[in-house]
Structures are given as structure tokens and as C-alpha cells.
Amino acid sequence: MYLADQTWPDLGDYVASESVAVVPLGSTEQHGPHLPLSTDHVIAESLAREVADRTGFLCTPTVNVGVSPHHRQFHGTMWVDAPQFRDYVESLTRNLTYHGVDRVVYVNAHGGNVQHLREVGRRLRDDREAYCVEWMWDESIPELVEELFETPGPHGGPKETSMLLHLDREHVREDRIEDAATGGCRRFPEDADTIRHGASTFYDAIDNTDNGVLGDQRDASAEKGERLFEAATAQLVQLLEWVDAQPFEDLMPKPHVE
């Protein structure tokens, strides 16, 4: 069920019997010369709306701009600073709790959001307002990613390229995939030369890759993207069913030991 398509009486019926919502979050940032800036939020929204259709759980509108200052040197990248992002997501989630939702899965497709979503989840759990957990699609299916790609890359690589070929092929510049592969950093961090003596000496994506991408995009295909999408969707369905089945008290912080 997609929240924005419903009337308020319809949503009243939902919160009378259900207490779970999914919130998709991504970014609007560079993904190399071949993928649109919408890559992350397209993936997040597609997964969230698919599981909402399959399970009947509530899906909110997507948070399209995330914590992306590390991509700022590339044209068009948008970002919000981390404190404002955390406060916004917390406020949005408290809005859901006001209407009766007390379990939220953040369907996330941008690595820069991860730690901040975890912090928001901790705040709300400590306040006993809600149980909120961050979920990252590729981290739910590591075996399949490893099976499909020799060099998947953490950003703009073949796994994200495959997902976009499956979900939004119209906006993939397929004629630039070769340039993306040859102009980026194929193996990270081995080829980046920015890990020294145990320290990550980089702060921005451009410190590692001239064209903004990591991995070998030539491994991508729409068929692989469909496999990734279906496998990740299955994992998300199982997570939502688990969250829904837990007694609320079991999801709250444990008491101090005596």
C-alpha cells in the first residue's frame, strides 16, 4: 500500500490493524558517466513499493536527497548535511508514530545514509517511540553479488548498473559503459592507493576515481539486475514479516543488569 495514493479513511483502517511502515531513502548524486543521479532513490523506491504490493504493508514517499557531500565535486550532486538529515528522518518517523506506526524499516540504497539512519533508529528506540531498522539492498544478498560479479564496486559498479538496466533502462547511457569501466577505479581499494598504513586517507569519491565510479560496469546486464531485484525483495519481505511478528517490548532496549 502506497501512502500517498490513499485517502485518510483508508489509512485509518490500516493503522487500526497494522503498525509497520517502510520508508525508502536514497540520494541524488553522481553515479559516473553512464548512470543517472537518481540511481539510488530509484532502487530504494522500486524495492519498497514492490514489497508493499506483495505484503500490504505501508510504503511512504521516498527521501530522494541524502548525505552525499563526498560526491560534491561532480556536477548535479545534491546533499543535506548529516545533522539535518538525521533530524528530518527522525521528524518524519515521529510523524508516522503519531498515526499509530511503531515499526519502520528504512529501505536504503545509499551508503552515506547508513550510519545516520542507525543513529535515528537508536534515538527512537531509546525514547520507546518505535523500532526502526536500516536495510541496505546489496548487503542482504552478498552471496548473489559475489556470484554475479568479479568486481562489483561499492558505487556505480555493475550491481547498480544491472539494477538500473532492469528498473529504468531508458536513463542508462549504455554507450558510456565502456568509458565508465576504463575511466574509473576497477578494484577498490586495491587500485585506489588511498589506504595507507591502516588509514583511509581519502574523504571524497574523486580522491579514488576520476569519473566517479568503482567496479567494472561491463559485467552488468538487465537479466542480472532482475535476479538482484528479486532476491533483495525476498529478503526484505522476510525482514518485514519478522519485524511485524515481534512483540513490541521485545524490540525495546533491555533493562540494566542487576
Side-chain angles (χ1 to χ4, degrees):
M1 177 187 292
Y2 183 60
L3 183 148
D5 288 344
Q6 309 306 310
T7 67
W8 71 261
D10 295 332
L11 291 171
D13 294 340
Y14 179 85
V15 296
S17 59
E18 298 288 351
S19 58
V20 177
V22 292
V23 178
L25 305 100
S27 70
T28 299
E29 65 180 20
Q30 73 83 19
H31 275 76
H34 66 304
L35 291 180
L37 277 72
S38 62
T39 292
D40 286 345
H41 68 251
V42 164
I43 293 172
E45 180 168 337
S46 297
L47 287 164
R49 294 190 68 158
E50 181 66 21
V51 298
D53 288 343
R54 294 189 189 187
T55 64
F57 290 128
L58 189 68
C59 175
T60 73
T62 305
V63 178
N64 288 338
V65 178
V67 183
S68 302
H70 49 295
H71 292 289
R72 68 187 184 276
Q73 289 90 348
F74 296 94
H75 303 311
T77 292
M78 301 182 70
W79 70 90
V80 291
D81 292 332
Q84 285 70 35
F85 176 80
R86 290 192 295 266
D87 288 347
Y88 178 85
V89 176
E90 180 179 349
S91 180
L92 183 155
T93 308
R94 288 185 185 275
N95 164 232
L96 292 171
T97 68
Y98 176 81
H99 293 297
V101 170
D102 63 17
R103 301 131 202 265
V104 174
V105 173
Y106 297 126
V107 178
N108 179 38
H110 172 51
N113 294 340
V114 171
Q115 63 179 312
H116 309 295
L117 294 173
R118 292 284 298 172
E119 172 60 26
V120 170
R122 175 176 287 280
R123 292 181 189 177
L124 291 163
R125 183 171 180 257
D126 285 349
D127 287 349
R128 301 181 63 83
E129 283 286 317
Y131 177 78
C132 307
V133 62
E134 183 269 345
W135 178 85
M136 188 85 169
W137 71 270
D138 55 331
E139 293 180 0
S140 76
I141 49 172
E143 296 88 358
L144 181 58
V145 170
E146 183 177 350
E147 173 192 334
L148 293 179
F149 308 113
E150 179 184 353
T151 55
H155 183 76
K159 60 186 177 183
E160 289 186 319
T161 303
S162 294
M163 285 285 268
L164 263 289
L165 286 169
H166 171 57
L167 296 171
D168 189 20
R169 192 163 196 159
E170 175 187 357
H171 291 107
V172 179
R173 280 59 166 183
E174 295 182 63
D175 59 328
R176 300 178 186 171
I177 286 178
E178 181 70 27
D179 291 340
T182 58
C185 176
R186 185 168 181 270
R187 294 183 182 275
F188 178 81
E190 295 90 336
D191 296 343
D193 195 31
T194 51
I195 307 292
R196 295 184 175 86
H197 311 295
S200 298
T201 60
F202 64 92
Y203 282 93
D204 297 326
I206 202 168
D207 297 333
N208 293 311
T209 168
D210 292 339
N211 71 357
V213 295
L214 307 162
D216 192 335
Q217 296 73 18
R218 293 169 294 194
D219 270 352
S221 71
E223 293 73 23
K224 291 180 180 179
E226 183 176 11
R227 288 185 64 187
L228 293 169
F229 185 81
E230 288 300 321
T233 297
Q235 290 294 315
L236 183 53
V237 167
Q238 291 180 62
L239 173 62
L240 284 165
E241 290 174 345
W242 177 85
V243 168
D244 184 47
Q246 305 312 301
F248 183 74
E249 282 302 316
D250 289 354
L251 297 171
M252 292 296 97
K254 302 295 186 289
H256 194 284
V257 297
E258 296 183 3

